[in-house]
Each structure stands twice: as structure tokens, then as C-alpha cells.
Amino acid sequence: MQNTILITGGSGFIGSNFILQWIASERTPVVNLDKLTYAGNPRNLQRVSSDTRYCFMQGDICDRDLVHSILERHKPRAVVHFAAESHVDRSIRGPDDFIRTNVNGTFCLLEEARAYWMALARQDRELFRFLHVSTDEVYGSLDPHDPPFCETTRYAPNSPYSASKAAADHLVRAYFHTYDVPTLTTNCSNNYGPYQFPEKLIPLIILNARKGKSLPLYGDGQNVRDWLYVEDHCEAVRMVLARGRIGETYNIGGWNEKRNVEVVDTICSILDDLCGNDPVLPHRTLISFVKDRPGHDRRYAMDACKIEHELSWKPRETFESGIRKTINWYLQNEAWVNEVTAGNYRQWIATHYS
Ligand code: NAD
Ligand code: TYD
């Protein structure tokens, strides 16, 4: 076994932040297996693309022969599984890819990882880890006065996306209990930060506001999400990988519950200060309440006490510091923005918001 880790979905939003952080801090080799769907972008990893510790393999996690050969060739000490279809609205319009990648893809990886792990020498078997990255959405929706989700909260997924992630979580759990594969699962709240594809709320609002386009809030805008800066999430995943107890799940959250309307209002105020020459000012006049998402979960909130007590992880960023960093990143990375908002993106926006 080598000191390499295999990342799936490393060219997406969280995976690319994870790889950049890993190369800068852990300094050991990373193999990135990514299909490069609309959400994957090799430009995110330009900074490490010629680093000898970084190896990119374009491919599908559902391709078992490919997964098998990557495991045999690189002999990783861990698999960190980010690859997924991740956008709830797309899962409502077309769930097929979500079942294929999130459920069948996770199953393929687990099967190949199990065979690889079983063939390892005894001391390597003890060191190997399969870390599955999941979401708080598997727990369903909270009422305003409910306590936040904890690791023992009953699963109650409501969207095709969250149902597919829940199915994957159950498979991971089964591979630990049935076959002893040393798994770890993390369930995280909503992330935001650099490289997030602008179909998700925060980057969509930043980009639309700058262009004087309307800022669509679903329903009454009172839905609550618990926001976490992406680098904090990546650090938490690294800690779980290094010191998490096998077979366990860890909830990761920002202790940052915000109503959507508050999030959009905060972005608008910061942009009013930073971008005084934008076509429409103040930016909040662009807010428009639009038809609600079907089955829209009202509130998510995470109790992240277990990871804090066991692994001493706490988020470093507040929402106020993280959102400023994020806005500045989008302002400073116009070339990235222009590239990802060309082509298919326009089609998605036109169809979804028409
Ligand atoms: P993303 O959509 O930005 O990136 C997904 C990546 O997976 C892309 O690079 C894509 O090309 C790749 N991919 C998709 N299908 C693939 C396949 N069949 N084979 C190989 N690669 C494939 O997603 P993200 O926001 O970075 O989320 C990463 C993970 O974290 C997902 O598992 C998601 O469920 C989970 N998660 C996300 C959030 C969030 O707020 N974004 C919160 C909690 C958990
Ligand atoms: P999103 O970023 O899609 O993440 P998720 O659905 O996984 O939580 O959405 C965050 C919240 O913002 C969610 O309550 C839906 C809402 N939302 C809007 O109001 N308008 C939009 O255009 C989008 C994309 C999301």
C-alpha cells in the first residue's frame, strides 16, 4: 500500500477545495477520479496540475474495471468519496443520473474497495479507510423549534437527491457491518466558498446581482440552511480521515443558521459597498420571490458536538468572514466565472427559471 489517497469527484466544488488544501498541508500524493460532468472543472486544480503529487484520471465511478485498475495501480491508503450529482433542483427535473452516480456509483466503489482491502496485508488492512462524504439533507426537514440534527436522527430524505445520498449512506453502513470494510461517513450542512458552480444559491445570487439580473428566492424566502465555509468542511474531513472511529458517522455544520432572505440581503449589502458601479443599485431591489421548489425542506441545522468533542474540530470562519471571502473570490475570478457560465449553464438557467 502507498501513502496515496484516491479522491472521487475531486474536480467539483468541495473536492477541488479538498485537493488544494490536501496538497498544501498534508503534502502526500492524491489521485483524482472524476468524470468531468457539467459540475467538474479541471481549471479548479490548475494550481496543482503540474505537481508530481497530483494525478488526474478522467472516468466514471460506475466503471468497475477502471476503479479496479486505479486501486491496483496506485494502491491508495484511503478512498475519499465526493463524486455525486449534487443539485436538488436538477434531481427534481431528472433523477436518473442521481440514482446512477450516487447509488450505483457508490456501490461500485464499495465493491471494488472491499476486494482491494481484503487482498491487502494485515497491517495495511488496519490502516485503510473508505470515507464517504454525505449531506445533512438525509435527515429531512426541521420545524422552527426542533433541535438540530444529530448522528442518531432518523433518516427521512425528501428529494431524489437526498434519497440517493441516504441510499449511499446505508450501503456504506452495510459494508462496515457486514464485511468489516473500515468506513467513515460525514454528513455536512450547506457549503459555500470558491469554485462553487453558480446553480447553487450563493454564487447564483452574487453573479446575478452583479449583472443586474433578478435574484430568485423560492417561496417566501424563509427556508433555513446551516452554512459552512468550504475550507472548514475540508479540514473536518481530513480530521475524520486521520482520527475518526471506523464505522462511525460524523455530523459537520457551521452553527450558522440563516434564512435564505437574510443570506441574499447580506450579499446585496456587501456588493453595494464593493461594486458601486453595477447596473442596478441597491442590489436588493433585484430580489424576486418565485415559485417554490416542490417538496422544499423548510429548515436544516446540524449539531456538530460529536466531531468537536472527539476530534476537536470547530469551524474557523463565521458566516460574515466566509461570505466576504467568497464574494471577493467571485469578483477576482472573472475568467473562471465566464467559462462556467457559458454554454450549458445558460440553458439550465433559461429552462429552470422560465
Ligand atoms: P459538485 O456537483 O460541485 O461536484 C461533483 C463532482 O463529481 C464533479 O466534479 C463531477 O464531475 C463529479 N462526478 C459526478 N458524477 C460522477 C461520476 N459518475 N463519476 C466520477 N465523477 C463524477 O458537488 P460538491 O458540491 O462538490 O459536493 C461534493 C460531495 O459533497 C457530494 O457527495 C455532495 O453530496 C456532498 N455534499 C455537498 C454539500 C454542498 O453544500 N455542496 C454539502 C454536504 C455534502
Ligand atoms: P441550494 O444552494 O440549491 O442548496 P440546497 O437545496 O442543497 O439546500 O439552495 C439553498 C437554499 O436556497 C434552498 O432553500 C433553496 C434556495 N434557493 C432559492 O431560493 N433560489 C434559488 O435560485 C436557488 C438555487 C436556491
Side-chain angles (χ1 to χ4, degrees), residues 191-232:
N191 283 216
Y192 67 101
Y195 304 109
Q196 187 167 30
F197 193 74
E199 63 188 356
K200 306 279 167 62
L201 180 71
I202 288 182
L204 179 91
I205 295 298
I206 299 171
L207 302 191
N208 279 14
R210 297 246 32 228
K211 290 203 163 142
K213 294 186 178 167
S214 85
L215 310 179
L217 271 168
Y218 297 159
D220 60 5
Q222 300 294 317
N223 300 64
V224 172
R225 297 292 183 264
D226 174 359
W227 293 96
L228 180 68
Y229 191 64
V230 63
E231 288 180 12
D232 280 325

Side-chain angles (χ1 to χ4, degrees), residues 18-238:
F18 184 85
I19 291 175
L20 293 174
Q21 191 181 91
W22 184 275
I23 298 274
S25 49
E26 307 274 341
R27 318 189 76 80
T28 55
V30 172
V31 177
N32 172 20
L33 168 61
D34 196 297
K35 187 178 174 184
L36 297 183
T37 66
Y38 78 92
N41 185 351
R43 192 192 263 268
N44 299 0
L45 290 158
Q46 226 163 24
R47 225 192 302 156
V48 295
S49 59
S50 52
D51 194 304
T52 51
R53 289 164 299 188
Y54 177 67
C55 170
F56 176 63
M57 304 286 300
Q58 182 168 6
D60 194 326
I61 56 168
C62 300
D63 180 345
R64 285 197 42 185
D65 291 342
L66 177 67
V67 173
H68 175 82
S69 73
I70 292 174
L71 290 170
E72 285 308 311
R73 170 134 58 102
H74 294 278
K75 303 235 168 286
R77 68 172 175 87
V79 175
V80 184
H81 175 33
F82 290 97
E85 289 293 335
S86 68
H87 188 34
V88 173
D89 293 321
R90 287 188 195 250
S91 83
I92 294 167
R93 285 181 183 272
D96 305 55
D97 286 347
F98 288 73
I99 304 306
R100 188 180 171 279
T101 288
N102 301 1
V103 186
N104 295 340
T106 302
F107 167 69
C108 292
L109 275 181
L110 282 166
E111 272 293 90
E112 290 306 324
R114 176 166 76 98
Y116 166 73
W117 169 77
M118 277 170 55
L120 289 173
R122 167 122 59 116
Q123 65 275 39
D124 286 344
R125 273 213 301 273
E126 272 163 29
L127 292 175
F128 181 79
R129 296 288 181 269
F130 184 101
L131 191 154
H132 169 60
V133 178
S134 189
T135 166
D136 58 357
E137 305 194 19
V138 297
Y139 298 121
S141 183
L142 293 167
D143 286 333
H145 301 293
D146 286 342
F149 301 128
C150 59
E151 287 79 359
T152 53
T153 302
R154 186 173 69 88
Y155 271 38
N158 289 319
S159 70
Y161 164 67
S162 55
S164 68
K165 292 296 290 186
D169 294 10
H170 291 323
L171 283 169
V172 172
R173 178 188 160 87
Y175 273 63
F176 172 71
H177 283 275
T178 307
Y179 305 114
D180 294 329
V181 177
T183 63
L184 296 156
T185 298
T186 55
N187 293 85
C188 188
S189 63
N190 284 64
N191 283 216
Y192 67 101
Y195 304 109
Q196 187 167 30
F197 193 74
E199 63 188 356
K200 306 279 167 62
L201 180 71
I202 288 182
L204 179 91
I205 295 298
I206 299 171
L207 302 191
N208 279 14
R210 297 246 32 228
K211 290 203 163 142
K213 294 186 178 167
S214 85
L215 310 179
L217 271 168
Y218 297 159
D220 60 5
Q222 300 294 317
N223 300 64
V224 172
R225 297 292 183 264
D226 174 359
W227 293 96
L228 180 68
Y229 191 64
V230 63
E231 288 180 12
D232 280 325
H233 181 193
C234 295
E235 208 169 305
V237 171
R238 287 201 289 127

